[in-house]
Amino acid sequence: MATKTDLTRNQTLVLGRLEKAEGPLSAYALLDQLRDDGFRAPLQVYRALDTLMKSGFVHRLESINSFVACHGHHHHDHGMTGFAICETCGQVTEFTDPVVTERLEAWAEASGFRPNKAVIEFRGTCATCAGA
């Protein structure tokens, strides 16, 4: 598995931007923010994101077609990753749940299903925006 020292310049720039972001960013938002660093085409961003996702540094939030830096790199390589996405402020909270992972793995084994990955996305309102 890659480490941060193995990353190319473009990968490092994309990861750095995602780590500093206050919320998820689309590939085109990343491109706009990285133009001063020499990014000119979406393909540059997508190539960097692809490698970063495969290496476990970045997650794609499929329901909103955006990306976030992984919190706890490699912590959940073989388990379920979940995201709570606030539709009000855009905050994303990443979590893993060993009980859910265990149940999904048991179901997959019993049914003969071979999952490649398991991602759960909750969309709603965070505690801050809900006033809790």
Side-chain angles (χ1 to χ4, degrees):
M1 208 44 90
T3 64
K4 284 189 177 184
T5 58
D6 298 325
L7 299 178
T8 66
R9 176 184 177 275
N10 284 359
Q11 293 161 1
T12 301
L13 289 168
V14 169
L15 180 59
R17 189 62 58 155
L18 286 171
E19 288 176 335
K20 293 176 186 169
E22 293 185 19
L25 296 173
S26 70
Y28 283 91
L30 284 163
L31 176 61
D32 288 342
Q33 292 183 20
L34 293 168
R35 286 193 190 279
D36 290 344
D37 294 301
F39 282 71
R40 297 288 175 254
L43 189 56
Q44 291 173 284
V45 175
Y46 282 113
R47 282 184 181 154
L49 286 167
D50 186 53
T51 300
L52 291 168
M53 286 187 295
K54 287 177 182 173
S55 299
F57 289 108
V58 169
H59 295 289
R60 180 174 183 256
L61 301 175
E62 297 185 25
S63 67
I64 58 174
N65 197 24
S66 293
F67 300 87
V68 292
C70 176
H71 301 289
H73 181 56
H74 302 302
H75 174 71
H76 43 259
D77 283 345
H78 301 290
M80 183 277 309
T81 304
F83 299 94
I85 304 165
C86 181
E87 294 177 318
T88 302
C89 70
Q91 175 185 328
V92 175
T93 303
E94 178 181 339
F95 63 91
T96 58
D97 187 319
V99 173
V100 173
T101 299
E102 184 178 310
R103 288 185 178 173
L104 288 172
E105 288 172 349
W107 175 86
E109 185 176 326
S111 68
F113 186 78
R114 296 181 184 167
N116 293 324
K117 68 176 183 174
V119 178
I120 296 175
E121 295 182 25
F122 290 104
R123 293 183 63 182
T125 308
C126 70
T128 303
C129 292

